[in-house]
Amino acid sequence: MKTRLITGALAAAALTVGTFGALSAGAATPQAAPVSATVSDRNVHRTTHLTVDAATRAAQAVLKAAGEDGQRVTVAVVDRNGNPLVVLRGDGAGPQSYESAERKAFTAASWNAPTSELVKRLESTPTLKDIPGTLFLGGGVPVAVQGVPVAGIGVAGAPSGALDEKYAQAGAATLNR
């Protein structure tokens, strides 16, 4: 019994010393100060972004225009870098239309041109289609502010790229109101 008491007391003492040492060591570690710098305006590039509200209105206008024609489509609105702001898959739209709409939107924003025009460029530069994330089919239109692209609208699922692009244009038109 005496041995158990001594062993228990030694274990408790060792645990206390170890915990105190660990806490002391942690407290002694200096904290790094946050790094910040003041940057001159000439070293900064400011960009314009489409709001989520505007992107949503454009996407809803696309679904409305397609619905009036009895078409089931997916619409994607992406920012200048191709990041999705809004993707709406209309009722009954095919599963392939989701990715196609995003890629058309990215392609239009990247080149600041409708994808139907970009399809024509493939005749002289067929390797354009090899750029990751792009899709050279009609149905994508850029959204620009003072000529600079800020977003892209892509539509997929209608029987032709011309119809997809017609609906994408309807979405872009709502942004001028």
Side-chain angles (χ1 to χ4, degrees):
M1 180 71 155
K2 190 175 181 182
T3 307
R4 284 187 195 170
L5 279 174
I6 293 172
T7 305
L10 288 175
L15 182 62
T16 303
V17 168
T19 303
F20 178 75
L23 291 174
S24 295
T29 304
Q31 297 294 322
V35 177
S36 65
T38 302
V39 179
S40 158
D41 275 350
R42 66 185 165 88
N43 293 320
V44 176
H45 175 76
R46 290 187 171 84
T47 60
T48 303
H49 300 274
L50 194 63
T51 66
V52 171
D53 180 57
T56 302
R57 285 193 326 266
Q60 289 171 334
V62 166
L63 291 182
K64 181 180 178 194
E68 289 171 356
D69 287 348
Q71 299 301 320
R72 298 177 180 129
V73 300
T74 296
V75 56
V77 182
V78 301
D79 68 12
R80 174 66 176 104
N81 299 318
N83 300 311
L85 294 170
V86 175
V87 181
L88 297 177
R89 184 172 169 261
D91 294 335
Q96 79 289 353
S97 63
Y98 192 94
E99 182 178 349
S100 296
E102 281 187 339
R103 290 175 59 193
K104 288 178 184 184
F106 171 70
T107 305
S110 295
W111 274 277
N112 196 23
T115 54
S116 61
E117 287 181 22
L118 296 170
V119 169
K120 298 172 190 169
R121 293 185 194 177
L122 289 177
E123 294 171 14
S124 62
T125 315
T127 56
L128 280 179
K129 69 181 176 343
D130 298 334
I131 297 172
T134 59
L135 186 58
F136 291 86
L137 297 174
V141 298
V143 176
V145 173
Q146 298 176 346
V148 177
V150 297
I153 300 174
V155 178
S160 73
L163 279 175
D164 286 340
E165 194 160 310
K166 171 186 166 186
Y167 304 136
Q169 290 285 2
T174 65
L175 299 174
N176 292 325
R177 298 181 198 156

